[in-house]
């Protein structure tokens, strides 16, 4: 990484304080459109604390360095911080980004800022989370989140071995594309609908482990007669597990999750999760950066949805469910050999 002057460092600090975004790196210059030769890649994630987005950022930075591209990363202050992401997009444009990679907190909350960037010649690619409509960005590189949820639901159903589910659901951020798709996919996989009486309660935890624990504790005050738990991601799954453990209920439930981070795979190995569905953010980030490099060189843009895949990780394989064990998962968590 190039040495930054005191002035540049001061500017970064001021921007961090005034925009509500987390700043990783800044470079100056006006926006360069495609075909200019030099890729200047900006990344906007939902937060900079969730391990998943940390991995996404690290993979994007490494890919940029390997391909001679400049790189800068910003993030919202919390999951759902649409205003922070809008300011991040505007800041990256001012810095001269010719490609912006974004994991939108809301599928609709940043559309105007994205449109303004594209109108100015900036390539915009959604990573991990699709926009609504999907063509609000040039392309999306992401997990098929409905399919990932369906994989989780099918596993939980198979693990119950014919016993009707008594289900608690720990959702993410209401209205987000990822939350909606995973929730719907899980219900399809387990064979329920939102109105099914088998669903005994649900809580929204915005991807946060502490909020998930609090939400699960509240649900368990109503009833402990449950045998299955859906968690939208692994941090929330860990929060739910802590609440279940405090009540002595972990042996009676089957809990699935989605993410596939190394910690989540270890949770499978330790028996906290029956299964998790691994995503591949490293692949999303690398493909996004390569598209940015190509755009800078030739002006060629990617288009449409690119599914970067998912895989069930469990140490309790079941008939009809394609899966890998935790040993494989620890070697391949989030798409990279560890």
């Amino acid at each position: 990484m190039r040495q930054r002057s005191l002035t540049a460092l001061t500017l970064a600090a001021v921007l961090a304080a005034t925009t509500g975004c987390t700043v990783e790196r800044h470079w100056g210059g006006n926006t360069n459109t495609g075909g200019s030769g030099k890729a200047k890649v900006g990344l906007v994630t939902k937060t900079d604390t969730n391990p998943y987005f940390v991995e996404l950022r690290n993979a994007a930075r490494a890919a940029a360095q390997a391909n001679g591209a400049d790189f800068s990363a910003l993030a919202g202050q919390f999951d759902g911080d649409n205003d922070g992401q809008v300011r991040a997009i505007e800041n990256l444009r001012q810095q001269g980004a010719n490609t912006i990679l974004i994991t939108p907190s809301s599928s609709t909350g940043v559309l105007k800022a994205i449109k303004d960037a594209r109108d100015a010649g900036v390539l915009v690619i959604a990573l991990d989370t699709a926009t609504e409509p999907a063509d609000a960005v040039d392309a999306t590189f992401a997990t098929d989140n409905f399919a990932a949820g369906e994989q989780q639901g099918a596993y939980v159903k198979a693990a119950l071995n014919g016993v009707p589910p008594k289900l608690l659901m720990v959702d993410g951020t209401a209205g987000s594309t990822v939350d909606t798709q995973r929730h719907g996919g899980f219900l399809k996989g387990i064979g329920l609908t939102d109105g099914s009486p088998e669903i005994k309660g649900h809580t929204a935890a915005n991807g946060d482990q502490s909020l998930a624990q609090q939400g699960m504790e509240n649900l368990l005050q109503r009833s402990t007669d449950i045998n299955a738990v859906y968690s939208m991601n692994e941090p929330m799954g860990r929060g739910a597990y802590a609440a279940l453990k405090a009540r002595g209920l972990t042996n009676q439930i089957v809990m699935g999750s989605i993410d596939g981070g190394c910690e989540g795979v270890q949770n499978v190995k330790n028996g906290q999760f029956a299964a998790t569905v691994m995503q591949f953010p490293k692949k999303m980030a690398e493909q996004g950066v390569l598209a940015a490099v190509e755009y800078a060189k030739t002006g060629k843009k990617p288009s449409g949805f690119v599914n970067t895949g998912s895989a069930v990780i469990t140490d309790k394989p079941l008939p009809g469910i394609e899966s890998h064990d935790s040993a494989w998962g620890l070697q391949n968590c989030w798409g990279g050999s560890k």
Side-chain angles (χ1 to χ4, degrees):
M1 182 180 291
R2 297 174 299 180
Q3 292 292 323
R4 294 185 295 178
S5 67
L6 180 61
T7 300
L9 289 170
T10 303
L11 175 59
V14 170
L15 284 169
T18 59
T19 63
C21 305
T22 301
V23 180
E24 178 178 288
R25 181 183 175 189
H26 287 265
W27 19 253
N30 296 324
T31 298
N32 294 313
T33 57
S36 64
K38 180 68 172 180
K40 294 185 176 182
V41 184
L43 174 68
V44 181
T45 52
K46 297 178 184 180
T47 72
D48 67 350
T49 55
N50 185 310
Y52 181 85
F53 298 118
V54 172
E55 178 67 21
L56 191 77
R57 183 181 69 231
N58 290 343
R61 185 199 306 113
Q65 291 174 345
N67 288 278
D70 287 336
F71 180 75
S72 181
L74 301 174
Q77 292 185 310
F78 53 87
D79 201 328
D81 182 13
N82 297 317
D83 290 342
Q85 289 200 316
V86 168
R87 290 190 292 270
I89 293 170
E90 293 169 349
N91 287 338
L92 289 170
R93 286 181 58 197
Q94 291 171 7
Q95 294 173 44
N98 47 32
T99 293
I100 293 176
L101 311 175
I102 182 169
T103 60
S105 283
S106 165
S107 57
T108 59
V110 293
L111 294 188
K112 184 180 184 304
I114 288 174
K115 182 179 185 302
D116 290 345
R118 294 179 72 192
D119 287 347
V122 178
L123 172 67
V124 181
I125 298 173
L127 302 183
D128 177 73
T129 304
T131 55
E132 291 181 7
D135 62 4
V137 292
D138 291 289
T140 300
F141 299 158
T143 306
D144 182 336
N145 281 293
F146 189 91
E150 189 173 2
Q151 287 172 290
Q152 184 193 159
Y155 183 89
V156 171
K157 180 179 181 179
L160 289 173
N161 196 28
V163 176
K166 298 176 183 178
L167 175 68
L168 294 179
M169 302 190 73
V170 184
D171 290 308
T173 302
S176 77
T177 306
V178 172
D179 181 73
T180 300
Q181 291 176 345
R182 292 184 185 179
H183 178 104
F186 178 87
L187 291 181
K188 181 180 179 182
I190 201 172
L192 302 176
T193 66
D194 276 313
S196 296
E198 291 88 348
I199 301 175
K200 303 304 179 182
H202 62 84
T203 185
N206 291 351
D208 184 85
Q209 181 169 332
S210 296
L211 291 177
Q213 181 172 347
Q214 294 167 14
M216 180 60 71
E217 288 168 351
N218 292 337
L219 291 174
L220 293 175
Q221 289 177 4
R222 304 175 197 171
S223 175
T224 58
D225 185 21
I226 59 168
N227 61 10
V229 172
Y230 160 80
S231 62
M232 182 264 193
N233 72 8
E234 288 166 356
M236 293 192 298
R238 286 188 281 274
Y241 182 86
L244 291 162
K245 184 177 181 180
R247 291 269 189 155
L249 301 174
T250 56
N251 290 333
Q252 74 181 49
I253 60 100
V254 177
M255 179 160 59
S257 197
I258 300 176
D259 265 351
C262 292
E263 187 175 359
V265 175
Q266 190 66 45
N267 295 144
V268 171
K269 184 176 181 179
N270 294 343
Q272 294 165 267
F273 303 156
T276 192
V277 180
M278 181 178 288
Q279 304 183 87
F280 299 99
K282 185 172 185 282
K283 185 185 295 186
M284 299 175 200
E286 290 174 345
Q287 291 185 0
V289 169
L290 289 175
V293 171
E294 178 67 21
Y295 177 61
K297 288 181 179 178
T298 69
K300 181 181 178 181
K301 295 182 177 182
S303 62
F305 179 85
V306 178
N307 180 14
T308 51
S310 58
V312 175
I313 308 298
T314 182
D315 286 331
K316 299 177 180 178
L318 296 170
I321 307 293
E322 184 177 350
S323 66
H324 298 279
D325 64 17
S326 62
W328 184 93
L330 289 170
Q331 285 296 315
N332 295 278
C333 38
W334 279 341
S337 179
K338 302 298 177 181

